[in-house]
Amino acid sequence: MHRASRTLAGLIAVGALTLTACGTQSAGSGPADPRPVAASAGKPVPSGEGRGIRAARVAHVSDVHEATGMTLLEGPVLDGHGHLWLVDVTAPAGEPKVISVDLATGRHRGLYTDKTGAYTSAQVSPYDGRMYLSDFATGAVVSIARDGTDPRTFFSGAVDGARMTPDDIAFDDDGNLYISDAHGTEPDETDGRVVRVDRDGRKATVLADGLAQPNGIMFDPELRGLWISELAEDTVSYLLLDAERTTVTSRHEAIHVDGGLAQTDSLAVDAGGNLYQALHGRPALAVYNKYGARLATVEVPAEDAGGLRSATNVAITPGGTAAYMTVSGPAGGYVYGFTAPGKGIRQSNGG
């Protein structure tokens, strides 16, 4: 999630981020073309940005909410049946917090709502097949069935004496959960953490601390380590784990994202180990290989960019290259499609 954190925290504090019902909505004017496309840049991209990949609009999902003054789509997850699940972080009372988008038509419907959550990410557990949601407002992680029913609290409470502010999530193959705990939201705070929660939700362990607003988190394809992004530092770091994935054995800054006004948001990893770094402050994704070389920049069409501020996350079809990113701004919340440089895996579907 992008770090308009003080704004979001204020909305949570006054109770604006509550929701009691949701329904089915059409996609308004509909997508310009529901098929993801890729092309060499129609315009030059700055030096060091790799090749340009143009994304096409798939669906208009939300408008700026009057109650919160924002809309912010996040956590895209492909369900394997032509639909994309996502969350609207700032959805107010009466509007959906988890949304299902039909990728063929652009139509969408509310899938889940509650009174207290401000959900910043979503991912399906490889262990139980349920959808897990990180709740920035309450510090909890909850799960729901794929049809939006049966909500359960997976984890809540303090970890090492401090309540979490969970942003993004990642699973290992056994169903253990790894969380980027933003914790501090002021510019000079560096008390963010990476927290591991065992798959039964009973034990939580701090794997790394001293982080500057950690946001994106995802395993590499071999599940040997975690890539994490720190929004306040514009960096992506690599945390190598031990065989049990319970301890960080080494940690280093791997990539510095030269984003100018943009900052590092969520990230995903494809089958080739490439990183897809979403940018808060620019409706674009930066694509790097595992050695830090900038391969490409995914951007929305120039005529759309004026009303959009951030690309928050991406989902790539497992086994394929059809990719979808969540983009938001004053013009509303949208899904854009493109062809990814690499094939999708579980680590590029939600988080």
Side-chain angles (χ1 to χ4, degrees), residues 12 37 78 85 90 125 137 148 165 225 232 249:
I12 294 167
V37 298
L78 292 155
W85 296 320
T90 62
S125 167
T165 308
T249 60

Side-chain angles (χ1 to χ4, degrees), residues 59-333:
H60 178 188
V61 179
S62 63
D63 293 308
V64 171
H65 307 296
E66 183 177 354
T68 61
M70 299 174 65
T71 185
L72 183 62
L73 303 185
E74 253 280 21
V77 182
L78 292 155
D79 73 348
H81 301 285
H83 293 84
L84 185 75
W85 296 320
L86 48 81
V87 296
D88 187 346
V89 184
T90 62
E95 299 184 32
K97 296 186 177 182
V98 181
I99 302 165
S100 175
V101 179
D102 186 322
L103 294 171
T105 66
R107 291 182 61 85
H108 57 282
R109 64 184 179 89
L111 191 67
Y112 174 75
T113 184
D114 61 25
K115 295 182 179 180
T116 60
Y119 300 109
T120 51
S121 63
Q123 193 167 142
V124 173
S125 167
Y127 176 67
D128 62 15
R130 291 172 62 85
M131 188 190 311
Y132 284 69
L133 310 169
S134 55
D135 186 353
F136 196 84
T138 70
V141 176
V142 304
S143 73
I144 58 175
R146 289 173 178 245
D147 62 0
T149 63
D150 190 27
R152 304 175 190 173
T153 299
F154 170 70
F155 183 83
S156 64
V159 179
D160 283 4
R163 198 196 79 164
M164 285 197 299
T165 308
D167 201 321
D168 285 2
I169 55 178
F171 284 101
D172 64 24
D173 284 347
D174 296 322
N176 301 302
L177 186 65
Y178 302 75
I179 304 166
S180 61
D181 177 13
H183 206 56
T185 57
E186 297 297 326
D188 58 347
E189 290 182 305
T190 56
D191 54 356
R193 307 180 293 182
V194 171
V195 175
R196 181 188 191 270
V197 182
D198 290 356
R199 73 182 184 194
D200 61 8
R202 295 178 181 176
K203 181 182 179 182
T205 305
V206 176
L207 296 182
D209 57 14
L211 301 172
Q213 299 175 28
N215 194 311
I217 182 169
M218 194 55 62
F219 275 99
D220 58 20
E222 298 79 22
L223 280 87
R224 293 181 303 186
L226 289 163
W227 293 103
I228 61 167
S229 61
E230 295 176 73
L231 182 137
E233 296 288 346
D234 271 351
T235 60
V236 178
S237 295
Y238 184 71
L239 277 57
L240 182 66
L241 304 179
D242 65 359
E244 290 74 34
R245 304 188 191 94
T246 58
T247 302
V248 173
T249 60
S250 68
R251 165 178 158 186
H252 70 277
E253 180 181 313
I255 300 168
H256 183 83
V257 179
D258 295 323
L261 296 179
Q263 297 173 282
T264 51
D265 207 295
S266 301
L267 58 81
V269 179
D270 70 18
N274 300 316
L275 304 176
Y276 297 72
Q277 178 61 64
L279 299 175
H280 165 52
R282 179 183 178 187
L285 299 173
V287 185
Y288 298 88
N289 71 13
K290 61 185 177 182
Y291 298 111
R294 183 79 166 254
L295 302 178
T297 300
V298 183
E299 294 190 273
V300 303
E303 58 269 25
D304 295 353
L308 301 171
R309 294 290 180 267
S310 297
T312 55
N313 211 331
V314 63
I316 307 172
T317 305
T321 57
Y324 304 90
M325 63 180 183
T326 45
V327 185
S328 304

